[in-house]
Amino acid sequence: AEIVDPEAEKPDDWDDDLDGEWEAPKIPNPEYKGPWSPKKISNPDYKGPWEHPQIDNPDYKEDPELYAFDSFKYIGIDVWQVKSGTIFGNFLITDQFEVAQEQIEAINKVREVEKAKKEEVEKKEREAAEARAAAEKEEEGEEEDDEE
């Protein structure tokens, strides 16, 4: 909390072109009393923090089948992804552990086959790229022989 010194004067030898625009020095504000805080007054009726009462709801009826549906026709998901083109599938909604285990095993078999096919394709692409690189290197070697 500082203010501009009201008694400060620009020095006689101050040159605005060489020294820049003159700014008066700052001094501590004599009227500053510290950061503001609200005054506290006592409240004789204060009983502490409020706690909400637990009141029974007479209209409440427990329904164990509340979220049970005959079939789930649709499912909604919200996915944030960094790389586009991701495909999601094989959603399973069940409350039976055995069914989930069977589906996981079936999906993993399909995934293993897909992974093997992908590796095979990538291997062929690598071999083709290596063959192209070797052919280009060979062509460069022939061109150098022709220049000599």
Side-chain angles (χ1 to χ4, degrees):
E2 297 179 328
I3 58 171
V4 175
D5 185 358
E7 298 174 5
E9 294 180 4
K10 184 176 180 179
D12 294 335
D13 61 343
W14 189 270
D15 185 356
D16 286 337
D17 293 332
L18 293 175
D19 301 324
E21 187 177 336
W22 183 78
E23 293 181 10
K26 296 189 176 203
I27 59 170
N29 185 352
E31 296 179 13
Y32 180 69
K33 298 175 184 160
W36 181 85
S37 62
K39 292 179 180 163
K40 292 186 178 183
I41 56 174
S42 63
N43 180 358
D45 296 332
Y46 180 69
K47 297 175 184 147
W50 181 75
E51 293 184 24
H52 58 85
Q54 297 290 329
I55 302 171
D56 288 337
N57 181 354
D59 297 332
Y60 175 74
K61 293 179 183 75
E62 187 172 343
D63 184 4
E65 300 292 318
L66 182 64
Y67 297 104
F69 294 96
D70 294 334
S71 72
F72 284 92
K73 187 173 181 182
Y74 303 103
I75 182 172
I77 58 172
D78 183 16
V79 177
W80 179 82
Q81 59 182 12
V82 176
K83 185 177 178 183
S84 65
T86 304
I87 299 172
F88 294 92
N90 299 326
F91 290 98
L92 175 66
I93 301 174
T94 184
D95 59 356
Q96 298 174 355
F97 183 75
E98 295 79 21
V99 172
Q101 284 295 109
E102 291 172 9
Q103 292 299 318
I104 289 170
E105 290 171 9
I107 290 169
N108 284 338
K109 288 178 186 174
V110 172
R111 287 172 66 192
E112 289 173 12
V113 171
E114 290 175 348
K115 185 177 179 181
K117 287 182 180 179
K118 182 181 178 191
E119 289 172 355
E120 184 179 324
V121 168
E122 289 174 349
K123 181 180 177 186
K124 288 181 181 178
E125 288 175 353
R126 268 195 314 273
E127 291 172 354
E130 290 170 0
R132 280 193 304 272
E136 289 174 6
K137 195 172 187 180
E138 190 175 302
E139 285 179 15
E140 289 175 9
E142 290 176 6
E143 288 176 5
E144 290 177 5
D145 290 342
D146 292 341
E147 291 175 5
E148 290 176 3

